[in-house]
Amino acid sequence: MKYNKCIGTRDVLPEESIIWEYVAQKLRDISYLYGFGEIRTPTFEHAEVFIHSVGDTSDIVTKEMYLFNDKSDRSLVLKPEGTAGIVRAYIENHFHVKPKPVKLFYMDAFFRYERPQKGRFREFHQYGVELFGSKEPSSDAEVISLCFHILSELGFKELLLELNSIGCNVCRPPYREQLIAFLQDHQAHLCEDCNKRMDKNPLRVLDCKKPQCKKAVQDAPRIDENLCPVCDEHYTQLQQLLNDLQIPYKKNPWLVRGLDYYQQTVFEVLSSDLGSQSALLGGGRYDGLAEILGGPHTPAIGFAMGLERLIMLIQQFKNWDHLRPLSPVAYIAHEGFSTLSQAMKIAGLLRAQAIAVEMDLECKGIKKGLEVAIKKGAAYAILLGSEEMEQGTVTLKNLSSRNQQSCKVNDLIPTIQQHLEEHHDISKS
Ligand code: HAM
């Protein structure tokens, strides 16, 4: 019986893993520059953590959660997003008594039962940040700056931030009523899904991607024109800060995002190279979420970017040849079982000096070993016969020049290191 991977999952192979590792390191380094510490929360949580926060009318909760009962009949979910679990952890670990703002970042796998397509998977990875304890627009600007710092460090040039404010508990209810009245008048032009969500979650109709709905809401009342004075000032100040920081953005009054916990600021960074799944990252402010999950009132803002999408894009415009090649520096080809232990000892010596080395573990002999060394793209073959073993020597063969020299085992490391330095100098000049 042969098995395939599950639909919507991916195998990341070594050539691509190197890029993931590089990106992860950059994300960590930049997070630390801004004072964010890494948090790791469990892969599964109680279902209520997401149902009460992401929203019981959201696509994630109604259609996409990997929901199951464990053997003790607890209702659990493979986490579909990071924010709710981190707020749960923030409360449970009493982070609210720490000096504010508390800044956390994460890199993790998430699970959504979505229809797979380019850039959309059922298991995917996000890097995200959450900043707790400040309601000031400067925190929104700080988080957005961090996101642009990352994108520019990774080589992105022309990405645009879409920005909106979706108000708060004061200004959203009257706006909602206005919007429902408008949508009822235009009901006939809306898709089936929007007709269903119109009464329960009318704001979601605004960012439906279907052309007929986009057209129907063109003249709908705008949330950014119906903000209360507090939200209006917050939004204006944020825009002022982004202007001062020269972060390019476009106001999109129809941007509402698909998770119910947001209020005031919401934003996304889009890329046309991603096809129909164009959001590279999304985030916003969620000042009411900690209370919903049983904690104290805690203003907070964050964002998450999809790592599959990020890596897909940077592979298109960045050359990755400079990253550590997967080929070994040296390959040890030896005579047979009698030379095996010595070959393993030599491999150990080289590895202790951070020289990547592989060897013939199957004792296939020097000729076969040499062939493998060439196929694996090793820079050097180390040839070890029984006579050489007795004399404490090896033959070091440079596989590009084909030159070879006899070398005492003790001199092997400095000789290889010298070769590598010379090679490095030549390739630099
Ligand atoms: P989200 O917009 O649902 O927000 O996801 C953020 C990013 O994750 C998306 O922009 C996309 O790049 C990636 N993503 C989402 N679903 C998939 C999928 N099925 N396959 C591949 N990539 C995907 C959140 O998750 C919020 N928790 C973000 C946040 C953090 N808001 C505040 N703090």
Side-chain angles (χ1 to χ4, degrees), residues 14-80:
E15 293 74 14
E16 191 187 315
S17 276
I18 288 186
I19 306 174
W20 281 78
E21 196 183 313
Y22 170 88
V23 167
Q25 195 53 51
K26 277 262 179 265
L27 294 172
R28 283 210 166 82
D29 290 348
I30 298 173
S31 305
Y32 294 140
L33 278 183
Y34 286 72
F36 285 78
E38 184 167 5
I39 182 160
R40 299 176 187 219
T41 60
T43 303
F44 54 88
E45 295 268 358
H46 293 290
E48 291 78 16
V49 171
F50 297 103
I51 295 170
H52 295 319
S53 54
V54 174
D56 52 10
T57 58
S58 65
D59 285 352
I60 293 181
V61 169
T62 53
K63 303 185 208 156
E64 297 168 3
M65 289 203 305
Y66 278 87
L67 183 65
F68 61 99
N69 281 17
D70 73 2
K71 291 191 197 302
S72 303
D73 220 23
R74 293 183 195 94
S75 179
L76 304 177
V77 165
L78 294 186
K79 55 186 176 183

Side-chain angles (χ1 to χ4, degrees), residues 81 83 112 114 119 121 126 130 257 261-262 279-280 302-303 306:
E81 61 101 48
T83 311
R112 294 185 193 174
E114 294 196 77
F121 304 97
Q126 287 181 345
E130 313 293 355
R257 310 241 326 113
Y261 50 60
Y262 291 119
L280 172 59
F303 74 84

Side-chain angles (χ1 to χ4, degrees), residues 23 26-28 30-31 34 36 39 81-84 86-87 102-108 110 112 124-132 139-152 154 156 159 161-163 242 247 255 257 259 261-262 265-270 279-286 289 300-307 310:
V23 167
K26 277 262 179 265
L27 294 172
R28 283 210 166 82
I30 298 173
S31 305
Y34 286 72
F36 285 78
I39 182 160
E81 61 101 48
T83 311
I86 290 174
V87 173
V102 171
K103 298 175 182 173
L104 302 170
F105 81 91
Y106 53 96
M107 251 181 276
D108 218 335
F110 297 94
R112 294 185 193 174
F124 61 97
H125 297 77
Q126 287 181 345
Y127 159 82
V129 308
E130 313 293 355
L131 183 152
F132 293 97
S139 300
D140 306 40
E142 170 93 330
V143 161
I144 293 173
S145 300
L146 161 67
C147 143
F148 269 76
H149 188 150
I150 288 168
L151 295 175
S152 93
L154 289 173
F156 287 95
L159 287 177
L161 175 80
E162 293 204 349
L163 186 68
L242 295 179
I247 293 177
L255 177 68
R257 310 241 326 113
L259 304 104
Y261 50 60
Y262 291 119
T265 312
V266 287
F267 60 94
E268 282 186 348
V269 170
L270 308 173
L280 172 59
L281 64 89
R285 183 163 273 289
Y286 52 94
L289 184 53
I301 173 137
F303 74 84
M305 66 169 77
L307 293 180
L310 178 77

Side-chain angles (χ1 to χ4, degrees), residues 2 39 52 80 169 177 211 213 247 300 314 323 326 353 363 411:
K2 183 172 161 271
I39 182 160
H52 295 319
N169 294 341
E177 293 309 312
C213 299
I247 293 177
I314 60 179
L323 289 185
L326 293 166
Q353 297 305 314
C363 302
D411 296 336

